[in-house]
Amino acid sequence: MSVQVKQRVDYSALVNYIQQENVRQVNELLEELIPKLVEYLQVTLAATEEAAKECVQQAFLNVYERIVDGKLKDPKSLLSYMMMTARNEYFNQYKKNKRYVDNEYITGSESEPASQIDRLVDRERKELLFECIEELDDDSQLFILYFINHPDATTSEASDYFDLTEANVRTKKYRITHQLHSLYKMRANGLEL
């Protein structure tokens, strides 16, 4: 049995491709680089996907101009330079748009590594949960999504909303969550239905 290790991409080649105006090669590398930078902002700074994409795009335009003008001194550090530029762009956008009143958050820089990992794990779990919810019948999906969207809802409120007795709400909620739990465990362990 042979194990193949995914080779790390050398993004310094992007500098040469931009200078040579090799659009095809530039686009190939950008298709791999841009999602990494977006994810970096989402994980390290808790940026929304939309904000991260916007900041990465502007960061790339800034770096592109530096490359074209021959001002990028070390092409081998392009990835870390892009990460730093994207992070700075994220902070600049929020300062410019005055989305944060307290500048302490902005100067606090990156999230702690533990919270970065927690966000990644939480995102993966959430995606897996919603894949499992999609496997439920329509009625069960509506029922469980009500409780996901209204986490503080009481049995009485759900009873009024669904026009069921409180006992039926409890029973239905138990059955659906039990079914979801089973689906989730199977999927998490790599078993397909």
Side-chain angles (χ1 to χ4, degrees):
M1 176 171 82
S2 67
V3 177
Q4 288 188 321
V5 177
K6 189 174 181 181
Q7 278 191 312
R8 190 173 174 175
V9 176
D10 180 15
Y11 292 108
S12 64
L14 183 61
V15 174
N16 294 331
Y17 295 144
I18 288 172
Q19 290 171 337
Q20 296 167 2
E21 297 180 5
N22 187 336
V23 176
R24 187 181 63 77
Q25 294 285 18
V26 168
N27 288 338
E28 281 181 22
L29 281 178
L30 286 179
E31 283 178 22
E32 186 173 328
L33 178 61
I34 298 295
K36 286 181 181 182
L37 294 170
V38 169
E39 185 175 15
Y40 165 74
L41 290 180
Q42 288 179 294
V43 171
T44 59
L45 301 174
T48 64
E49 184 176 5
E50 182 180 321
K53 285 181 178 178
E54 184 179 319
C55 291
V56 167
Q57 180 179 6
Q58 184 58 48
F60 175 71
L61 292 174
N62 296 343
V63 172
Y64 177 83
E65 288 176 14
R66 290 189 62 82
I67 292 170
V68 169
D69 293 341
K71 294 180 180 177
L72 187 67
K73 305 215 185 320
D74 183 14
K76 290 194 185 292
S77 63
L78 179 67
L79 179 60
S80 60
Y81 184 69
M82 283 290 299
M83 291 168 73
M84 180 186 68
T85 305
R87 185 180 68 229
N88 290 342
E89 184 61 34
Y90 176 79
F91 292 138
N92 290 337
Q93 287 293 323
Y94 276 91
K95 284 180 187 177
K96 186 173 87 179
N97 295 331
K98 297 178 183 166
R99 293 184 185 173
Y100 290 119
V101 177
D102 184 8
N103 283 349
E104 187 176 317
Y105 176 80
I106 293 172
T107 58
S109 190
E110 300 178 8
S111 301
E112 292 296 317
S115 64
Q116 295 172 16
I117 291 169
D118 288 346
R119 269 199 296 282
L120 278 176
V121 169
D122 287 347
R123 186 182 327 149
E124 288 175 12
R125 285 181 179 162
K126 192 180 214 180
E127 288 172 4
L128 186 56
L129 174 64
F130 280 99
E131 286 175 17
C132 294
I133 289 173
E134 287 177 357
E135 293 182 31
L136 299 173
D137 62 79
D138 292 344
D139 185 48
S140 296
Q141 284 182 22
L142 289 173
F143 190 83
I144 202 65
L145 287 172
Y146 171 82
F147 284 101
I148 289 173
N149 293 325
H150 304 91
D152 297 329
T154 64
T155 305
S156 176
E157 291 169 337
S159 171
D160 292 340
Y161 185 83
F162 289 106
D163 196 26
L164 297 169
T165 67
E166 288 185 32
N168 284 346
V169 167
R170 282 190 294 273
T171 302
K172 189 170 186 169
K173 185 177 179 184
Y174 171 78
R175 288 181 180 159
I176 294 171
T177 53
H178 183 69
Q179 184 181 6
L180 264 179
H181 181 72
S182 297
L183 288 169
Y184 185 90
K185 278 177 53 177
M186 288 176 64
R187 287 234 171 180
N189 292 326
L191 303 172
E192 291 296 321
L193 301 176

PDB file of all heavy atoms in Angstrom, residues 11-44:
ATOM      1  N   TYR A  11       3.643  28.988  -4.470  1.00  0.00           N
ATOM      2  CA  TYR A  11       2.921  30.135  -5.027  1.00  0.00           C
ATOM      3  C   TYR A  11       3.847  31.212  -5.572  1.00  0.00           C
ATOM      4  O   TYR A  11       3.385  32.155  -6.188  1.00  0.00           O
ATOM      5  CB  TYR A  11       1.968  30.726  -3.984  1.00  0.00           C
ATOM      6  CG  TYR A  11       0.830  29.790  -3.665  1.00  0.00           C
ATOM      7  CD1 TYR A  11       0.769  29.135  -2.450  1.00  0.00           C
ATOM      8  CD2 TYR A  11      -0.168  29.547  -4.597  1.00  0.00           C
ATOM      9  CE1 TYR A  11      -0.268  28.265  -2.162  1.00  0.00           C
ATOM     10  CE2 TYR A  11      -1.201  28.676  -4.312  1.00  0.00           C
ATOM     11  CZ  TYR A  11      -1.244  28.039  -3.093  1.00  0.00           C
ATOM     12  OH  TYR A  11      -2.269  27.174  -2.820  1.00  0.00           O
ATOM     13  N   SER A  12       5.152  31.061  -5.355  1.00  0.00           N
ATOM     14  CA  SER A  12       6.072  32.052  -5.905  1.00  0.00           C
ATOM     15  C   SER A  12       6.015  32.043  -7.433  1.00  0.00           C
ATOM     16  O   SER A  12       6.317  33.054  -8.072  1.00  0.00           O
ATOM     17  CB  SER A  12       7.499  31.807  -5.424  1.00  0.00           C
ATOM     18  OG  SER A  12       7.982  30.558  -5.891  1.00  0.00           O
ATOM     19  N   ALA A  13       5.600  30.913  -8.006  1.00  0.00           N
ATOM     20  CA  ALA A  13       5.452  30.836  -9.463  1.00  0.00           C
ATOM     21  C   ALA A  13       4.401  31.827  -9.962  1.00  0.00           C
ATOM     22  O   ALA A  13       4.466  32.296 -11.105  1.00  0.00           O
ATOM     23  CB  ALA A  13       5.073  29.422  -9.879  1.00  0.00           C
ATOM     24  N   LEU A  14       3.455  32.178  -9.095  1.00  0.00           N
ATOM     25  CA  LEU A  14       2.406  33.129  -9.471  1.00  0.00           C
ATOM     26  C   LEU A  14       3.014  34.473  -9.874  1.00  0.00           C
ATOM     27  O   LEU A  14       2.550  35.112 -10.808  1.00  0.00           O
ATOM     28  CB  LEU A  14       1.421  33.306  -8.302  1.00  0.00           C
ATOM     29  CG  LEU A  14       0.219  34.207  -8.542  1.00  0.00           C
ATOM     30  CD1 LEU A  14      -0.641  33.661  -9.673  1.00  0.00           C
ATOM     31  CD2 LEU A  14      -0.613  34.313  -7.269  1.00  0.00           C
ATOM     32  N   VAL A  15       4.072  34.864  -9.193  1.00  0.00           N
ATOM     33  CA  VAL A  15       4.743  36.125  -9.516  1.00  0.00           C
ATOM     34  C   VAL A  15       5.264  36.080 -10.950  1.00  0.00           C
ATOM     35  O   VAL A  15       5.039  37.015 -11.734  1.00  0.00           O
ATOM     36  CB  VAL A  15       5.896  36.409  -8.524  1.00  0.00           C
ATOM     37  CG1 VAL A  15       6.680  37.642  -8.948  1.00  0.00           C
ATOM     38  CG2 VAL A  15       5.361  36.562  -7.106  1.00  0.00           C
ATOM     39  N   ASN A  16       5.923  34.975 -11.314  1.00  0.00           N
ATOM     40  CA  ASN A  16       6.438  34.846 -12.680  1.00  0.00           C
ATOM     41  C   ASN A  16       5.317  34.824 -13.701  1.00  0.00           C
ATOM     42  O   ASN A  16       5.423  35.456 -14.755  1.00  0.00           O
ATOM     43  CB  ASN A  16       7.281  33.568 -12.811  1.00  0.00           C
ATOM     44  CG  ASN A  16       8.541  33.637 -11.986  1.00  0.00           C
ATOM     45  OD1 ASN A  16       9.079  34.713 -11.755  1.00  0.00           O
ATOM     46  ND2 ASN A  16       8.999  32.487 -11.520  1.00  0.00           N
ATOM     47  N   TYR A  17       4.245  34.092 -13.401  1.00  0.00           N
ATOM     48  CA  TYR A  17       3.126  34.008 -14.342  1.00  0.00           C
ATOM     49  C   TYR A  17       2.468  35.368 -14.564  1.00  0.00           C
ATOM     50  O   TYR A  17       2.083  35.708 -15.677  1.00  0.00           O
ATOM     51  CB  TYR A  17       2.085  33.003 -13.862  1.00  0.00           C
ATOM     52  CG  TYR A  17       2.576  31.578 -13.815  1.00  0.00           C
ATOM     53  CD1 TYR A  17       2.148  30.714 -12.807  1.00  0.00           C
ATOM     54  CD2 TYR A  17       3.458  31.077 -14.765  1.00  0.00           C
ATOM     55  CE1 TYR A  17       2.588  29.402 -12.753  1.00  0.00           C
ATOM     56  CE2 TYR A  17       3.907  29.774 -14.719  1.00  0.00           C
ATOM     57  CZ  TYR A  17       3.471  28.938 -13.713  1.00  0.00           C
ATOM     58  OH  TYR A  17       3.913  27.637 -13.665  1.00  0.00           O
ATOM     59  N   ILE A  18       2.365  36.161 -13.495  1.00  0.00           N
ATOM     60  CA  ILE A  18       1.775  37.497 -13.637  1.00  0.00           C
ATOM     61  C   ILE A  18       2.689  38.376 -14.475  1.00  0.00           C
ATOM     62  O   ILE A  18       2.231  39.083 -15.380  1.00  0.00           O
ATOM     63  CB  ILE A  18       1.508  38.132 -12.248  1.00  0.00           C
ATOM     64  CG1 ILE A  18       0.325  37.413 -11.573  1.00  0.00           C
ATOM     65  CG2 ILE A  18       1.221  39.624 -12.374  1.00  0.00           C
ATOM     66  CD1 ILE A  18       0.079  37.812 -10.132  1.00  0.00           C
ATOM     67  N   GLN A  19       3.982  38.323 -14.199  1.00  0.00           N
ATOM     68  CA  GLN A  19       4.932  39.142 -14.954  1.00  0.00           C
ATOM     69  C   GLN A  19       4.994  38.718 -16.425  1.00  0.00           C
ATOM     70  O   GLN A  19       5.214  39.546 -17.301  1.00  0.00           O
ATOM     71  CB  GLN A  19       6.316  39.075 -14.315  1.00  0.00           C
ATOM     72  CG  GLN A  19       6.362  39.797 -12.985  1.00  0.00           C
ATOM     73  CD  GLN A  19       7.651  39.568 -12.220  1.00  0.00           C
ATOM     74  OE1 GLN A  19       8.360  38.588 -12.426  1.00  0.00           O
ATOM     75  NE2 GLN A  19       7.944  40.488 -11.308  1.00  0.00           N
ATOM     76  N   GLN A  20       4.782  37.412 -16.697  1.00  0.00           N
ATOM     77  CA  GLN A  20       4.797  36.901 -18.071  1.00  0.00           C
ATOM     78  C   GLN A  20       3.433  37.038 -18.744  1.00  0.00           C
ATOM     79  O   GLN A  20       3.278  36.666 -19.895  1.00  0.00           O
ATOM     80  CB  GLN A  20       5.214  35.426 -18.083  1.00  0.00           C
ATOM     81  CG  GLN A  20       6.608  35.182 -17.593  1.00  0.00           C
ATOM     82  CD  GLN A  20       6.860  33.700 -17.320  1.00  0.00           C
ATOM     83  OE1 GLN A  20       6.002  32.847 -17.526  1.00  0.00           O
ATOM     84  NE2 GLN A  20       8.055  33.401 -16.832  1.00  0.00           N
ATOM     85  N   GLU A  21       2.443  37.524 -17.988  1.00  0.00           N
ATOM     86  CA  GLU A  21       1.059  37.656 -18.461  1.00  0.00           C
ATOM     87  C   GLU A  21       0.497  36.321 -18.929  1.00  0.00           C
ATOM     88  O   GLU A  21      -0.240  36.236 -19.914  1.00  0.00           O
ATOM     89  CB  GLU A  21       0.974  38.714 -19.559  1.00  0.00           C
ATOM     90  CG  GLU A  21       1.359  40.093 -19.063  1.00  0.00           C
ATOM     91  CD  GLU A  21       1.276  41.165 -20.133  1.00  0.00           C
ATOM     92  OE1 GLU A  21       0.824  40.874 -21.265  1.00  0.00           O
ATOM     93  OE2 GLU A  21       1.674  42.306 -19.826  1.00  0.00           O
ATOM     94  N   ASN A  22       0.822  35.248 -18.216  1.00  0.00           N
ATOM     95  CA  ASN A  22       0.325  33.904 -18.509  1.00  0.00           C
ATOM     96  C   ASN A  22      -0.999  33.718 -17.755  1.00  0.00           C
ATOM     97  O   ASN A  22      -1.040  33.211 -16.642  1.00  0.00           O
ATOM     98  CB  ASN A  22       1.360  32.857 -18.073  1.00  0.00           C
ATOM     99  CG  ASN A  22       0.970  31.460 -18.501  1.00  0.00           C
ATOM    100  OD1 ASN A  22      -0.199  31.162 -18.714  1.00  0.00           O
ATOM    101  ND2 ASN A  22       1.968  30.596 -18.607  1.00  0.00           N
ATOM    102  N   VAL A  23      -2.075  34.149 -18.370  1.00  0.00           N
ATOM    103  CA  VAL A  23      -3.393  34.203 -17.733  1.00  0.00           C
ATOM    104  C   VAL A  23      -3.867  32.815 -17.288  1.00  0.00           C
ATOM    105  O   VAL A  23      -4.406  32.659 -16.194  1.00  0.00           O
ATOM    106  CB  VAL A  23      -4.430  34.852 -18.681  1.00  0.00           C
ATOM    107  CG1 VAL A  23      -5.818  34.833 -18.074  1.00  0.00           C
ATOM    108  CG2 VAL A  23      -4.008  36.268 -19.018  1.00  0.00           C
ATOM    109  N   ARG A  24      -3.651  31.812 -18.110  1.00  0.00           N
ATOM    110  CA  ARG A  24      -4.118  30.462 -17.781  1.00  0.00           C
ATOM    111  C   ARG A  24      -3.460  29.955 -16.500  1.00  0.00           C
ATOM    112  O   ARG A  24      -4.135  29.468 -15.590  1.00  0.00           O
ATOM    113  CB  ARG A  24      -3.842  29.491 -18.934  1.00  0.00           C
ATOM    114  CG  ARG A  24      -4.446  28.096 -18.725  1.00  0.00           C
ATOM    115  CD  ARG A  24      -4.138  27.155 -19.885  1.00  0.00           C
ATOM    116  NE  ARG A  24      -2.722  26.885 -20.070  1.00  0.00           N
ATOM    117  CZ  ARG A  24      -1.994  26.057 -19.307  1.00  0.00           C
ATOM    118  NH1 ARG A  24      -2.542  25.437 -18.295  1.00  0.00           N
ATOM    119  NH2 ARG A  24      -0.711  25.860 -19.556  1.00  0.00           N
ATOM    120  N   GLN A  25      -2.155  30.087 -16.397  1.00  0.00           N
ATOM    121  CA  GLN A  25      -1.431  29.620 -15.217  1.00  0.00           C
ATOM    122  C   GLN A  25      -1.795  30.456 -13.984  1.00  0.00           C
ATOM    123  O   GLN A  25      -1.921  29.925 -12.881  1.00  0.00           O
ATOM    124  CB  GLN A  25       0.083  29.672 -15.446  1.00  0.00           C
ATOM    125  CG  GLN A  25       0.570  28.710 -16.493  1.00  0.00           C
ATOM    126  CD  GLN A  25       0.587  27.272 -15.973  1.00  0.00           C
ATOM    127  OE1 GLN A  25      -0.044  26.921 -14.983  1.00  0.00           O
ATOM    128  NE2 GLN A  25       1.303  26.424 -16.676  1.00  0.00           N
ATOM    129  N   VAL A  26      -1.963  31.770 -14.171  1.00  0.00           N
ATOM    130  CA  VAL A  26      -2.355  32.644 -13.060  1.00  0.00           C
ATOM    131  C   VAL A  26      -3.703  32.182 -12.512  1.00  0.00           C
ATOM    132  O   VAL A  26      -3.876  32.013 -11.311  1.00  0.00           O
ATOM    133  CB  VAL A  26      -2.424  34.130 -13.501  1.00  0.00           C
ATOM    134  CG1 VAL A  26      -3.114  34.987 -12.454  1.00  0.00           C
ATOM    135  CG2 VAL A  26      -1.025  34.661 -13.797  1.00  0.00           C
ATOM    136  N   ASN A  27      -4.655  31.948 -13.406  1.00  0.00           N
ATOM    137  CA  ASN A  27      -5.986  31.519 -12.978  1.00  0.00           C
ATOM    138  C   ASN A  27      -5.965  30.166 -12.274  1.00  0.00           C
ATOM    139  O   ASN A  27      -6.687  29.967 -11.299  1.00  0.00           O
ATOM    140  CB  ASN A  27      -6.955  31.482 -14.165  1.00  0.00           C
ATOM    141  CG  ASN A  27      -7.333  32.872 -14.634  1.00  0.00           C
ATOM    142  OD1 ASN A  27      -7.231  33.839 -13.880  1.00  0.00           O
ATOM    143  ND2 ASN A  27      -7.757  32.986 -15.880  1.00  0.00           N
ATOM    144  N   GLU A  28      -5.142  29.248 -12.752  1.00  0.00           N
ATOM    145  CA  GLU A  28      -5.042  27.934 -12.103  1.00  0.00           C
ATOM    146  C   GLU A  28      -4.559  28.070 -10.662  1.00  0.00           C
ATOM    147  O   GLU A  28      -5.115  27.441  -9.754  1.00  0.00           O
ATOM    148  CB  GLU A  28      -4.086  27.012 -12.880  1.00  0.00           C
ATOM    149  CG  GLU A  28      -4.703  26.385 -14.100  1.00  0.00           C
ATOM    150  CD  GLU A  28      -3.726  25.466 -14.834  1.00  0.00           C
ATOM    151  OE1 GLU A  28      -2.749  24.993 -14.206  1.00  0.00           O
ATOM    152  OE2 GLU A  28      -3.944  25.229 -16.037  1.00  0.00           O
ATOM    153  N   LEU A  29      -3.524  28.862 -10.458  1.00  0.00           N
ATOM    154  CA  LEU A  29      -3.011  29.041  -9.094  1.00  0.00           C
ATOM    155  C   LEU A  29      -3.996  29.818  -8.225  1.00  0.00           C
ATOM    156  O   LEU A  29      -4.162  29.509  -7.042  1.00  0.00           O
ATOM    157  CB  LEU A  29      -1.656  29.740  -9.110  1.00  0.00           C
ATOM    158  CG  LEU A  29      -0.462  28.862  -9.443  1.00  0.00           C
ATOM    159  CD1 LEU A  29       0.819  29.682  -9.483  1.00  0.00           C
ATOM    160  CD2 LEU A  29      -0.310  27.731  -8.450  1.00  0.00           C
ATOM    161  N   LEU A  30      -4.663  30.803  -8.812  1.00  0.00           N
ATOM    162  CA  LEU A  30      -5.624  31.584  -8.031  1.00  0.00           C
ATOM    163  C   LEU A  30      -6.827  30.748  -7.601  1.00  0.00           C
ATOM    164  O   LEU A  30      -7.371  30.960  -6.520  1.00  0.00           O
ATOM    165  CB  LEU A  30      -6.095  32.807  -8.820  1.00  0.00           C
ATOM    166  CG  LEU A  30      -5.083  33.939  -8.944  1.00  0.00           C
ATOM    167  CD1 LEU A  30      -5.653  35.078  -9.770  1.00  0.00           C
ATOM    168  CD2 LEU A  30      -4.636  34.430  -7.576  1.00  0.00           C
ATOM    169  N   GLU A  31      -7.232  29.786  -8.428  1.00  0.00           N
ATOM    170  CA  GLU A  31      -8.349  28.912  -8.064  1.00  0.00           C
ATOM    171  C   GLU A  31      -8.039  28.116  -6.806  1.00  0.00           C
ATOM    172  O   GLU A  31      -8.940  27.745  -6.062  1.00  0.00           O
ATOM    173  CB  GLU A  31      -8.688  27.956  -9.215  1.00  0.00           C
ATOM    174  CG  GLU A  31      -9.462  28.598 -10.324  1.00  0.00           C
ATOM    175  CD  GLU A  31      -9.741  27.636 -11.470  1.00  0.00           C
ATOM    176  OE1 GLU A  31      -9.710  26.402 -11.261  1.00  0.00           O
ATOM    177  OE2 GLU A  31      -9.987  28.126 -12.588  1.00  0.00           O
ATOM    178  N   GLU A  32      -6.778  27.871  -6.570  1.00  0.00           N
ATOM    179  CA  GLU A  32      -6.379  27.144  -5.364  1.00  0.00           C
ATOM    180  C   GLU A  32      -6.076  28.100  -4.211  1.00  0.00           C
ATOM    181  O   GLU A  32      -6.405  27.808  -3.059  1.00  0.00           O
ATOM    182  CB  GLU A  32      -5.138  26.297  -5.660  1.00  0.00           C
ATOM    183  CG  GLU A  32      -4.759  25.407  -4.512  1.00  0.00           C
ATOM    184  CD  GLU A  32      -3.636  24.464  -4.875  1.00  0.00           C
ATOM    185  OE1 GLU A  32      -3.542  24.061  -6.043  1.00  0.00           O
ATOM    186  OE2 GLU A  32      -2.863  24.142  -3.969  1.00  0.00           O
ATOM    187  N   LEU A  33      -5.478  29.235  -4.515  1.00  0.00           N
ATOM    188  CA  LEU A  33      -5.045  30.176  -3.484  1.00  0.00           C
ATOM    189  C   LEU A  33      -6.202  30.950  -2.850  1.00  0.00           C
ATOM    190  O   LEU A  33      -6.261  31.069  -1.621  1.00  0.00           O
ATOM    191  CB  LEU A  33      -4.027  31.157  -4.080  1.00  0.00           C
ATOM    192  CG  LEU A  33      -3.502  32.256  -3.156  1.00  0.00           C
ATOM    193  CD1 LEU A  33      -2.775  31.649  -1.960  1.00  0.00           C
ATOM    194  CD2 LEU A  33      -2.585  33.193  -3.925  1.00  0.00           C
ATOM    195  N   ILE A  34      -7.107  31.461  -3.654  1.00  0.00           N
ATOM    196  CA  ILE A  34      -8.184  32.324  -3.145  1.00  0.00           C
ATOM    197  C   ILE A  34      -9.025  31.626  -2.073  1.00  0.00           C
ATOM    198  O   ILE A  34      -9.241  32.197  -0.999  1.00  0.00           O
ATOM    199  CB  ILE A  34      -9.072  32.842  -4.307  1.00  0.00           C
ATOM    200  CG1 ILE A  34      -8.249  33.698  -5.287  1.00  0.00           C
ATOM    201  CG2 ILE A  34     -10.295  33.590  -3.792  1.00  0.00           C
ATOM    202  CD1 ILE A  34      -7.695  34.979  -4.741  1.00  0.00           C
ATOM    203  N   PRO A  35      -9.512  30.391  -2.293  1.00  0.00           N
ATOM    204  CA  PRO A  35     -10.298  29.738  -1.230  1.00  0.00           C
ATOM    205  C   PRO A  35      -9.506  29.540   0.066  1.00  0.00           C
ATOM    206  O   PRO A  35     -10.068  29.626   1.156  1.00  0.00           O
ATOM    207  CB  PRO A  35     -10.679  28.387  -1.844  1.00  0.00           C
ATOM    208  CG  PRO A  35     -10.608  28.596  -3.316  1.00  0.00           C
ATOM    209  CD  PRO A  35      -9.509  29.594  -3.521  1.00  0.00           C
ATOM    210  N   LYS A  36      -8.203  29.308  -0.044  1.00  0.00           N
ATOM    211  CA  LYS A  36      -7.372  29.160   1.157  1.00  0.00           C
ATOM    212  C   LYS A  36      -7.329  30.465   1.941  1.00  0.00           C
ATOM    213  O   LYS A  36      -7.402  30.463   3.171  1.00  0.00           O
ATOM    214  CB  LYS A  36      -5.956  28.728   0.786  1.00  0.00           C
ATOM    215  CG  LYS A  36      -5.846  27.293   0.364  1.00  0.00           C
ATOM    216  CD  LYS A  36      -4.419  26.929   0.037  1.00  0.00           C
ATOM    217  CE  LYS A  36      -4.341  25.479  -0.422  1.00  0.00           C
ATOM    218  NZ  LYS A  36      -2.975  25.072  -0.712  1.00  0.00           N
ATOM    219  N   LEU A  37      -7.202  31.571   1.234  1.00  0.00           N
ATOM    220  CA  LEU A  37      -7.146  32.868   1.896  1.00  0.00           C
ATOM    221  C   LEU A  37      -8.494  33.226   2.519  1.00  0.00           C
ATOM    222  O   LEU A  37      -8.548  33.778   3.622  1.00  0.00           O
ATOM    223  CB  LEU A  37      -6.697  33.953   0.918  1.00  0.00           C
ATOM    224  CG  LEU A  37      -5.261  33.835   0.410  1.00  0.00           C
ATOM    225  CD1 LEU A  37      -4.999  34.813  -0.720  1.00  0.00           C
ATOM    226  CD2 LEU A  37      -4.273  34.046   1.547  1.00  0.00           C
ATOM    227  N   VAL A  38      -9.567  32.900   1.820  1.00  0.00           N
ATOM    228  CA  VAL A  38     -10.915  33.148   2.363  1.00  0.00           C
ATOM    229  C   VAL A  38     -11.106  32.350   3.646  1.00  0.00           C
ATOM    230  O   VAL A  38     -11.545  32.874   4.671  1.00  0.00           O
ATOM    231  CB  VAL A  38     -12.005  32.811   1.322  1.00  0.00           C
ATOM    232  CG1 VAL A  38     -13.391  32.798   1.949  1.00  0.00           C
ATOM    233  CG2 VAL A  38     -11.956  33.794   0.159  1.00  0.00           C
ATOM    234  N   GLU A  39     -10.738  31.079   3.594  1.00  0.00           N
ATOM    235  CA  GLU A  39     -10.871  30.230   4.778  1.00  0.00           C
ATOM    236  C   GLU A  39      -9.976  30.737   5.913  1.00  0.00           C
ATOM    237  O   GLU A  39     -10.364  30.715   7.085  1.00  0.00           O
ATOM    238  CB  GLU A  39     -10.524  28.786   4.443  1.00  0.00           C
ATOM    239  CG  GLU A  39     -10.753  27.849   5.601  1.00  0.00           C
ATOM    240  CD  GLU A  39     -10.528  26.392   5.250  1.00  0.00           C
ATOM    241  OE1 GLU A  39      -9.922  26.102   4.192  1.00  0.00           O
ATOM    242  OE2 GLU A  39     -10.954  25.545   6.041  1.00  0.00           O
ATOM    243  N   TYR A  40      -8.795  31.215   5.578  1.00  0.00           N
ATOM    244  CA  TYR A  40      -7.885  31.765   6.583  1.00  0.00           C
ATOM    245  C   TYR A  40      -8.567  32.903   7.348  1.00  0.00           C
ATOM    246  O   TYR A  40      -8.537  32.944   8.580  1.00  0.00           O
ATOM    247  CB  TYR A  40      -6.598  32.258   5.901  1.00  0.00           C
ATOM    248  CG  TYR A  40      -5.750  33.145   6.774  1.00  0.00           C
ATOM    249  CD1 TYR A  40      -5.014  32.609   7.825  1.00  0.00           C
ATOM    250  CD2 TYR A  40      -5.693  34.516   6.563  1.00  0.00           C
ATOM    251  CE1 TYR A  40      -4.234  33.420   8.637  1.00  0.00           C
ATOM    252  CE2 TYR A  40      -4.919  35.333   7.356  1.00  0.00           C
ATOM    253  CZ  TYR A  40      -4.192  34.791   8.401  1.00  0.00           C
ATOM    254  OH  TYR A  40      -3.440  35.601   9.199  1.00  0.00           O
ATOM    255  N   LEU A  41      -9.204  33.832   6.620  1.00  0.00           N
ATOM    256  CA  LEU A  41      -9.878  34.951   7.287  1.00  0.00           C
ATOM    257  C   LEU A  41     -11.070  34.469   8.109  1.00  0.00           C
ATOM    258  O   LEU A  41     -11.320  34.975   9.201  1.00  0.00           O
ATOM    259  CB  LEU A  41     -10.333  35.995   6.262  1.00  0.00           C
ATOM    260  CG  LEU A  41      -9.237  36.794   5.575  1.00  0.00           C
ATOM    261  CD1 LEU A  41      -9.838  37.782   4.587  1.00  0.00           C
ATOM    262  CD2 LEU A  41      -8.356  37.520   6.585  1.00  0.00           C
ATOM    263  N   GLN A  42     -11.792  33.481   7.586  1.00  0.00           N
ATOM    264  CA  GLN A  42     -12.948  32.965   8.311  1.00  0.00           C
ATOM    265  C   GLN A  42     -12.517  32.287   9.608  1.00  0.00           C
ATOM    266  O   GLN A  42     -13.158  32.446  10.640  1.00  0.00           O
ATOM    267  CB  GLN A  42     -13.723  31.976   7.443  1.00  0.00           C
ATOM    268  CG  GLN A  42     -14.482  32.641   6.316  1.00  0.00           C
ATOM    269  CD  GLN A  42     -15.211  31.619   5.473  1.00  0.00           C
ATOM    270  OE1 GLN A  42     -14.595  30.802   4.802  1.00  0.00           O
ATOM    271  NE2 GLN A  42     -16.525  31.673   5.517  1.00  0.00           N
ATOM    272  N   VAL A  43     -11.445  31.537   9.549  1.00  0.00           N
ATOM    273  CA  VAL A  43     -11.006  30.776  10.719  1.00  0.00           C
ATOM    274  C   VAL A  43     -10.279  31.659  11.723  1.00  0.00           C
ATOM    275  O   VAL A  43     -10.568  31.623  12.917  1.00  0.00           O
ATOM    276  CB  VAL A  43     -10.111  29.593  10.290  1.00  0.00           C
ATOM    277  CG1 VAL A  43      -9.474  28.934  11.493  1.00  0.00           C
ATOM    278  CG2 VAL A  43     -10.922  28.587   9.498  1.00  0.00           C
ATOM    279  N   THR A  44      -9.337  32.463  11.263  1.00  0.00           N
ATOM    280  CA  THR A  44      -8.521  33.228  12.203  1.00  0.00           C
ATOM    281  C   THR A  44      -9.212  34.477  12.723  1.00  0.00           C
ATOM    282  O   THR A  44      -8.956  34.894  13.849  1.00  0.00           O
ATOM    283  CB  THR A  44      -7.174  33.642  11.583  1.00  0.00           C
ATOM    284  OG1 THR A  44      -7.409  34.437  10.426  1.00  0.00           O
ATOM    285  CG2 THR A  44      -6.334  32.444  11.252  1.00  0.00           C
TER     286      THR A  44
END
